[in-house]
Amino acid sequence: DFLVSVGGYGFAAMADAIAHADNGEVISLQENFQSNNSLVVANKEVVLDLNNHNLIGNGSDGAIYAENGKVTLTGEGLVHGTLGADKYSMGVWARDAHVVINDGLYTNETDGSERGTDLIYASGNSLIEINGGIFEAATPQWTLNVKDVDYKAGKANIVVKGGSFKNFDPANCLAEGP
């Protein structure tokens, strides 16, 4: 048995699969993945196929943390950001990255402190494109958020083209002001 496949090869560790994936390759979950850390994809362009499985990770840096590359999330499955010791519980964090979300269910947790409960978060020179998926944030007003200084500078943005949002209207998002 293996956790994930890349190009027909199976890997027991997610980090090994990401390290061996060439740009443009599909990383496909073969079973549920849960970690006390974030799934980090840095300096790569990959497609992550949830393949009807769950990806649960520490939300301090996002269950999925993308940096300096492009990650396309596809396939049905769950991406869930658990509550980290710092009270952050992001599902996806793009930092100087391009993230495309096509499918999946995205959730996170809160202890009620309202700190760091952004479900989908962009910072630096980032673009997050949402084409589909279901988004159910623990704190609905923070379903989508861009780091204020990066948004105001025109460096980071989230573009919504589709998807379903529980208790949140992306057309009336006040995270960056009216």
Side-chain angles (χ1 to χ4, degrees), residues 103-124:
D103 302 294
L105 171 62
Y106 298 82
T107 63
N108 64 348
E109 303 173 0
T110 185
D111 64 356
S113 70
E114 304 290 326
R115 178 174 179 201
T117 56
D118 310 306
L119 180 58
I120 307 296
Y121 184 69
S123 68

Side-chain angles (χ1 to χ4, degrees), residues 79-136:
V79 173
H80 179 76
T82 61
L83 193 64
D86 60 2
K87 308 291 185 189
Y88 284 59
S89 64
M90 292 176 279
V92 176
W93 180 4
R95 183 174 181 206
D96 297 318
H98 183 184
V99 173
V100 178
I101 300 174
N102 291 323
D103 302 294
L105 171 62
Y106 298 82
T107 63
N108 64 348
E109 303 173 0
T110 185
D111 64 356
S113 70
E114 304 290 326
R115 178 174 179 201
T117 56
D118 310 306
L119 180 58
I120 307 296
Y121 184 69
S123 68
N125 289 306
S126 292
L127 173 63
I128 298 176
E129 294 178 70
I130 299 175
N131 298 313
I134 300 168
F135 302 86
E136 298 180 1

